[in-house]
Amino acid sequence: MLLKNTNIEEKLDHLRTKSNDSDETLATVYRILQKDTENEDRIQQTISGGNAQVGNAFDFDLLDTNKIYHIDQIKRICIDYRLRFLASKYFKGEIPPEAISKIKELEKTHNIDLKGFKIVAPSKLFKLEDKDDPLLFVPIGNNYFYLVHKWGNDLHPLRKLFAWPFKGIVNLTLLVLLISYFCTALIPSGLFSKTASTSEFWIIYFFMFKSIASVVIFYGFALGKNFNTAIWNSKYFNV
């Protein structure tokens, strides 16, 4: 049976539904922004010594609540699927005409000039052109983002499984332990002694683990790789 490709927008919707009621999202965002906007503007100006873009002045009555996401929901998806959430200026792919049209439509509807575009996509799309499922967001404020457009192909159905070992050191260690066990099990019993024993198996397993772990660590440092939690919003290649 063929596996269905992963639609990141659907995964975001599912995650948001688990965390709160989508019908209350708009009211919640509006209430938070009404309370915090004044303080945020003052703090941003104090830190930077000038004006800072902390959000877009949307007409909340005209927003689609199904397209509003909190930064924590975006972060969770990026970590699970090894994606990045970066400013659109770092995106090297092509922005489709449909996305431009939706931006113009939003600007006309809300009578604003949208700023602060950010994109969720695989790391390679911030270097090379490709077609894997980018999502274009604009900030609303207070760590909420509005989904403008999704384009390209859905992610491979097994991408989350492939990304699992890179979520953290514990996940990677468990994978190396599991691979080491299977590799040790493939070695014929009694290969290094006349009689097979449990102690021989675990000694071989220990050396197998050290060997595989050494290779993983070497290539990790050599290729400048890091865990999903470190790269999801980093603009640097070798974080």
Side-chain angles (χ1 to χ4, degrees), residues 103-173:
I103 293 171
K104 291 180 178 178
E105 182 181 344
L106 278 172
E107 290 183 334
K108 182 178 180 180
T109 301
H110 296 269
N111 194 27
I112 57 175
D113 293 332
L114 294 178
K115 299 177 182 179
F117 293 99
K118 303 194 76 171
I119 292 178
V120 168
S123 298
K124 59 184 177 181
L125 279 187
F126 291 101
K127 299 179 295 177
L128 303 173
E129 291 189 5
D130 207 331
K131 298 181 179 179
D132 283 333
D133 206 20
L135 304 176
L136 178 65
F137 292 87
V138 287
I140 298 176
N142 204 64
N143 286 327
Y144 282 92
F145 291 84
Y146 190 78
L147 176 61
V148 177
H149 185 59
K150 168 189 173 296
W151 69 95
N153 299 327
D154 292 333
L155 298 176
H156 191 280
L158 298 179
R159 183 180 179 91
K160 185 176 182 179
L161 179 63
F162 294 147
W164 182 85
F166 305 105
K167 290 179 68 174
I169 185 65
V170 174
N171 296 43
L172 186 60
T173 301

Side-chain angles (χ1 to χ4, degrees), residues 58-208:
F58 284 104
D59 183 341
F60 284 88
D61 293 331
L62 302 177
L63 287 176
D64 181 358
T65 58
N66 293 322
K67 293 184 178 296
I68 298 176
Y69 301 93
H70 191 265
I71 187 65
D72 290 340
Q73 295 162 350
I74 297 173
K75 177 181 178 180
R76 174 73 177 274
I77 288 296
C78 288
I79 291 175
D80 284 348
Y81 291 91
R82 196 169 176 81
L83 304 171
R84 296 208 187 193
F85 183 53
L86 298 176
S88 58
K89 66 179 181 179
Y90 297 110
F91 186 69
K92 301 303 181 183
E94 181 180 355
I95 304 296
E98 294 85 357
I100 303 300
S101 298
K102 288 187 177 181
I103 293 171
K104 291 180 178 178
E105 182 181 344
L106 278 172
E107 290 183 334
K108 182 178 180 180
T109 301
H110 296 269
N111 194 27
I112 57 175
D113 293 332
L114 294 178
K115 299 177 182 179
F117 293 99
K118 303 194 76 171
I119 292 178
V120 168
S123 298
K124 59 184 177 181
L125 279 187
F126 291 101
K127 299 179 295 177
L128 303 173
E129 291 189 5
D130 207 331
K131 298 181 179 179
D132 283 333
D133 206 20
L135 304 176
L136 178 65
F137 292 87
V138 287
I140 298 176
N142 204 64
N143 286 327
Y144 282 92
F145 291 84
Y146 190 78
L147 176 61
V148 177
H149 185 59
K150 168 189 173 296
W151 69 95
N153 299 327
D154 292 333
L155 298 176
H156 191 280
L158 298 179
R159 183 180 179 91
K160 185 176 182 179
L161 179 63
F162 294 147
W164 182 85
F166 305 105
K167 290 179 68 174
I169 185 65
V170 174
N171 296 43
L172 186 60
T173 301
L174 289 174
L175 179 66
V176 173
L177 287 169
L178 185 63
I179 293 175
S180 302
Y181 182 87
F182 281 113
C183 289
T184 304
L186 293 175
I187 297 177
S189 300
L191 181 64
F192 299 103
S193 64
K194 295 182 179 179
T195 58
S197 64
T198 303
S199 59
E200 179 190 0
F201 176 87
W202 290 112
I203 291 174
I204 296 174
Y205 176 73
F206 174 72
F207 282 102
M208 187 68 71

